[in-house]
Amino acid sequence: MDRLWFAAPRTLPRMSDQAVLASGERLSFRVHGRRVAAWAWGEGGPTIILLHGWGGHAGQLRSFVLPLREAGFRVVAFDAPSHGSSEASWHGGRRVTFFEFADALKAVTSGETSVAGIIAHSGGCTAVSLALRAEWTPPASMVFVAPFVRPAAAIDGFAHAIGANERVVAAFRARVERWLGQPWSYLDIAVPGDAHKLQRLLVVHDEDDKEVPLAHARALAASWPSARLMVTQGLGHRRVLREPAVVEKVLGFLTDDMTGKAPTYLPRDSRASLDEAYEACVGRRSSAVARR
């Protein structure tokens, strides 16, 4: 049970994801002596960090890159240890925890002069919370999409799926707490009273999410005084990251402090319009490279 719980699946970026990643500047960081792959778009402006979830990769948040750049932000995304193009974590093999996610986040942001916000997905939200509790300076605005708020709540379902009995589950819970040096409750990001919960937060969650129930987002929003909650329908756990209405809501939230009004640059009519915008951006860059 321990081996399976901490084994991160590696998913490969789709061609559309790879095209956007290829349009950015490739960066590399060292976290616990292991290489972490990252990408950056833009030289100036405040920085927005993109952080994927468990078993994900940086390309899954590609839909935010062009709109953020059009809004004047610098964008930085990275693959967590044992994910995507990054090397295995210091635990070796596919074994990794959200604490390594958090350490990578701190390493990637250490060289940025102005981090204005972060967009995190699923377990990436858990990692952000761990970084904040480890005294990482919070950005002014945060966006959590499909947040994995209470990891301990997933243990029983996971145990049932692999046929583990109550004795195994109890031993697993105790062993992990000894190994991490923290109780399972430390991973719960819906705890009221955390100092960082004075920051602005937008929570986005789909009611048809089969991997992380909507109850997670509701619990988080209830624990965070300034949180706003956006509930979508029919998008599930990952497609919510590519939905134009979600991208528009996130962009409006992040640009509130800059413009005081919602942005007008994001295509509003359909997903096809957003995809066309990305294809045009990548096409322009490819043409420029060909001419050189």
Side-chain angles (χ1 to χ4, degrees), residues 9 20 23 27 39 49 57 66 95 119 123 136 160 163 175 192 210 218-220 226 235 265 268 270:
V20 175
S23 71
L27 306 175
W39 296 263
I49 303 296
H57 55 79
L66 178 60
R95 191 172 179 84
I119 304 172
W136 179 63
H160 177 76
R175 173 178 175 158
K210 304 302 183 185
R218 294 197 186 281
L220 176 61
S226 62
L235 299 175
Y265 45 80
R268 299 168 182 265
S270 68

Side-chain angles (χ1 to χ4, degrees), residues 71-240:
F73 291 106
R74 170 177 163 84
V75 183
V76 176
F78 67 94
D79 286 338
S82 298
H83 288 71
S85 298
S86 291
E87 292 182 345
S89 80
W90 67 282
H91 299 297
R94 293 163 53 201
R95 191 172 179 84
V96 67
T97 77
F98 288 131
F99 288 94
E100 283 76 61
F101 273 62
D103 290 342
L105 173 62
K106 289 185 284 186
V108 170
T109 57
S110 63
E112 297 296 319
T113 57
S114 175
V115 177
I118 185 167
I119 304 172
H121 178 236
S122 191
C125 307
T126 317
V128 172
S129 178
L130 292 177
L132 292 169
R133 289 174 179 173
E135 299 184 349
W136 179 63
T137 302
S141 302
M142 292 183 281
V143 178
F144 287 176
V145 182
F148 188 37
V149 174
R150 290 173 169 162
I155 294 176
D156 289 340
F158 183 77
H160 177 76
I162 66 172
N165 61 30
E166 292 183 1
R167 180 182 60 81
V168 170
V169 173
F172 169 74
R173 288 178 181 271
R175 173 178 175 158
V176 170
E177 289 190 340
R178 289 195 301 270
W179 178 49
L180 297 180
Q182 295 288 353
W184 279 95
S185 58
Y186 189 77
L187 302 176
D188 187 340
I189 64 177
V191 177
D194 281 337
H196 59 258
K197 290 186 175 179
L198 297 176
Q199 309 303 117
R200 301 171 67 244
L201 175 69
L202 172 65
V203 182
V204 182
H205 212 113
D206 192 82
E207 64 179 21
D208 298 315
D209 191 325
K210 304 302 183 185
E211 297 188 29
V212 180
L214 176 59
H216 281 235
R218 294 197 186 281
L220 176 61
S223 75
W224 200 297
S226 62
R228 306 180 197 175
L229 176 61
M230 175 186 184
V231 178
T232 61
Q233 295 178 318
L235 299 175
H237 188 64
R238 293 178 181 81
R239 193 151 54 91
V240 65

Side-chain angles (χ1 to χ4, degrees), residues 41-49 65 68-76 112-118 139-141 254-255 257-258:
W41 295 264
E43 296 293 335
T47 301
I48 302 295
I49 303 296
V65 174
L68 286 168
R69 286 295 302 132
E70 293 286 347
F73 291 106
R74 170 177 163 84
V75 183
V76 176
E112 297 296 319
T113 57
S114 175
V115 177
I118 185 167
S141 302
L254 292 174
T255 56
D257 290 339
M258 295 174 60

